[in-house]
Amino acid sequence: MSSQSEQLLHIGVIGLGAMGMGIARSLSQTGLDVVGCDISDEARASFVASGGCSVATPAELSHCDVVLVVVVNGNQVEQVLFGDQGVAAHLAPDSLIIQCATIAPSQARTLSERLAAANLLMLDAPISGGAAKAKSGELSVMASGAPEAFTKAQPVLDTMAANVYRLGDAPGVGSSMKLVNQLLAGVHIATAAEAMALGIRMGLDPEVIFEVITHSAGNSWMFENRVPHILSGDYTPLSAVDIFIKDLNIVHQTGRELSMATPVAASALQQFTSASGAGFGREDDSAVIKVYQRLSGITLPEAANDAQGT
């Protein structure tokens, strides 16, 4: 049974994309009071159709005690918090911002300072797990912030996440951990694409490659998750190529701030950049394999409707 504090908690979710929509719906379905916010009429209508309430601008979330920011990049975070229609200026003191986007650790620290100056709390809490786990409330959250921020966030975190990693009091630590994850994820996707392309170029059956590798030491979570998109010829974006250009660029930027080279991540970034330059930026990130299709002439599996000529 929900506690009285949970029943009275008003929650806003800014960004009703694949991840934000899943989070908003999972919170709403457990009985929490949730309002979704997105500039897209279609996204707002979709959330309303599932039983939620929505608004068009972050400023309209002024009644919320907790606001989750689930947008694409640092520029969007800045706008939804501090822009002309930003929410920060309209919230009551001691309200909480849960910042879930993948941003540079340095930006997370600056945001926390600015919000603290406005008497607002912030949890630096990037998320991982994909749209399916967002919808089922089974995300992993890499979070850092003051103890009072964690206390206020607890009902929300309990509902949206299977794993909450408390990484200390300092802002930026959550975002630092997310960068480690994104470096590995981006490299693993690019490497999976290269491995599949090599096998196909050598004449191996793509389905057999997948079967053997997923039962061998060369397997990875990303290989197992993304290669089926290649096998089905379905590049409907669950996480787009351009997302990894953004995230790996943040890895590169942070490495420069630390005077640390990240050559493997840089190589993966070049592959995603090539895929975007070839017109695949808005396709699923597994479409990075299409770079090899262009360069090596390999034949990739086609979607069922394409194979049937429909």
Side-chain angles (χ1 to χ4, degrees):
M1 179 178 294
S2 298
S3 69
Q4 184 179 12
S5 62
E6 289 181 27
Q7 292 172 355
L8 297 176
L9 200 64
H10 302 292
I11 303 163
V13 178
I14 302 177
L16 297 175
M19 298 291 281
M21 184 70 79
I23 291 171
R25 285 176 173 166
S26 70
L27 294 173
S28 182
Q29 287 166 3
T30 58
L32 295 172
D33 177 27
V34 182
V35 178
C37 175
D38 202 285
I39 59 173
S40 166
D41 294 341
E42 183 179 355
R44 295 197 308 274
S46 178
F47 184 55
V48 170
S50 67
C53 299
S54 71
V55 297
T57 65
E60 296 174 80
L61 299 173
S62 59
H63 68 289
C64 290
D65 306 294
V66 177
V67 175
L68 292 95
V69 178
V70 199
V71 294
V72 172
N73 56 41
N75 289 335
Q76 290 185 7
V77 173
E78 173 72 22
Q79 285 302 308
V80 302
L81 291 180
F82 302 109
D84 291 342
Q85 294 294 320
V87 71
H90 301 277
L91 293 172
D94 297 322
S95 297
L96 171 66
I97 301 292
I98 302 179
Q99 198 301 110
C100 299
T102 301
I103 61 175
S106 56
Q107 183 180 9
R109 289 189 287 269
T110 299
L111 288 174
S112 181
E113 292 171 1
R114 293 170 69 186
L115 291 169
N119 295 313
L120 299 174
L121 299 168
M122 183 183 118
L123 207 61
D124 178 26
I127 52 180
S128 183
K133 289 190 176 181
K135 185 177 180 180
S136 63
E138 297 178 300
L139 290 168
S140 290
V141 179
M142 309 162 208
S144 62
E148 56 266 36
F150 274 105
T151 298
K152 192 154 195 166
Q154 200 64 53
V156 177
L157 297 176
D158 287 346
T159 301
M160 65 184 276
N163 301 291
V164 178
Y165 297 99
R166 295 185 62 152
L167 303 173
D169 296 351
V173 180
S175 288
S176 296
M177 187 64 72
K178 182 63 185 293
L179 279 198
V180 173
N181 183 78
Q182 294 308 93
L183 186 157
L184 289 166
V187 167
H188 288 174
I189 293 168
T191 303
E194 184 169 298
M196 287 298 298
L198 176 63
I200 292 169
R201 186 68 178 82
M202 293 189 298
L204 297 176
D205 184 326
E207 297 279 355
V208 174
I209 299 173
F210 180 73
E211 173 66 21
V212 172
I213 295 303
T214 53
H215 293 87
S216 302
N219 191 32
S220 69
W221 190 93
M222 281 300 187
F223 186 97
E224 195 163 340
N225 184 267
R226 295 306 204 266
V227 171
H229 304 179
I230 297 170
L231 298 179
S232 66
D234 183 359
Y235 298 95
T236 302
L238 300 179
S239 175
V241 164
D242 283 345
I243 293 293
F244 272 99
I245 293 178
K246 172 191 69 86
D247 290 356
L248 291 174
N249 263 313
I250 297 174
V251 171
H252 180 65
Q253 169 195 333
T254 303
R256 289 182 62 184
E257 292 173 1
L258 298 171
S259 298
M260 177 181 169
T262 52
V264 180
S267 180
L269 173 58
Q270 289 304 309
Q271 290 301 100
F272 285 108
T273 302
S274 296
S276 184
F280 309 127
R282 293 176 178 261
E283 295 189 17
D284 188 77
D285 51 35
S286 58
V288 69
I289 196 172
K290 294 185 179 182
V291 173
Y292 298 98
Q293 184 181 39
R294 291 285 183 91
L295 295 177
S296 302
I298 61 173
T299 300
L300 296 176
E302 298 179 356
N305 59 346
D306 292 339
Q308 295 167 8
T310 59

